[in-house]
């Protein structure tokens, strides 16, 4: 039996992050900010989990141009 979380980045993100806090939609933040959160709070993630989650967040993060500028958040 294959673990669904191991195959689905969305499920992995929700399962791992919800263990400690409410899961926020990635589109609320820029990828840069999400990377910082993963670096700070994702200490218990395996390298594979970290890569999968970061790839998922990158695809689903808010883009700078949607924020109205480079420094807006």
């Amino acid at each position: 039996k294959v673990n669904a979380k191991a195959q689905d980045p969305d499920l992995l993100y929700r399962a791992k992050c919800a263990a400690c806090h409410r899961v926020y939609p990635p589109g609320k933040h820029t990828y840069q900010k999400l990377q910082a959160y993963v670096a700070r709070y994702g200490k218990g993630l395996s390298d594979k989990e970290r890569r999968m989650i970061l790839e998922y967040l990158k695809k689903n993060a808010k883009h700078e141009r949607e924020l109205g500028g480079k420094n807006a958040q």
Side-chain angles (χ1 to χ4, degrees):
K1 181 178 175 184
V2 175
N3 184 343
K5 287 185 293 193
Q7 302 299 317
D8 185 331
D10 179 61
L11 289 177
L12 179 65
Y13 167 69
R14 292 174 184 282
K16 292 294 183 172
C17 298
C20 298
H21 61 81
R22 186 176 139 218
V23 177
Y24 297 96
K28 287 189 156 278
H29 301 288
T30 63
Y31 180 62
Q32 182 179 2
K33 187 153 199 121
L34 292 167
Q35 279 182 302
Y37 289 150
V38 172
R40 184 171 184 182
Y41 302 111
K43 305 282 188 225
L45 298 172
S46 71
D47 289 341
K48 181 180 179 181
E49 290 171 335
R50 182 174 287 104
R51 276 193 309 273
M52 285 179 66
I53 288 172
L54 287 172
E55 286 175 16
Y56 169 77
L57 294 174
K58 188 172 190 174
K59 289 178 185 175
N60 294 285
K62 183 172 277 193
H63 298 285
E64 293 288 344
R65 67 182 174 274
E66 295 172 12
L67 296 169
K70 195 172 190 177
N71 297 317
Q73 291 200 16

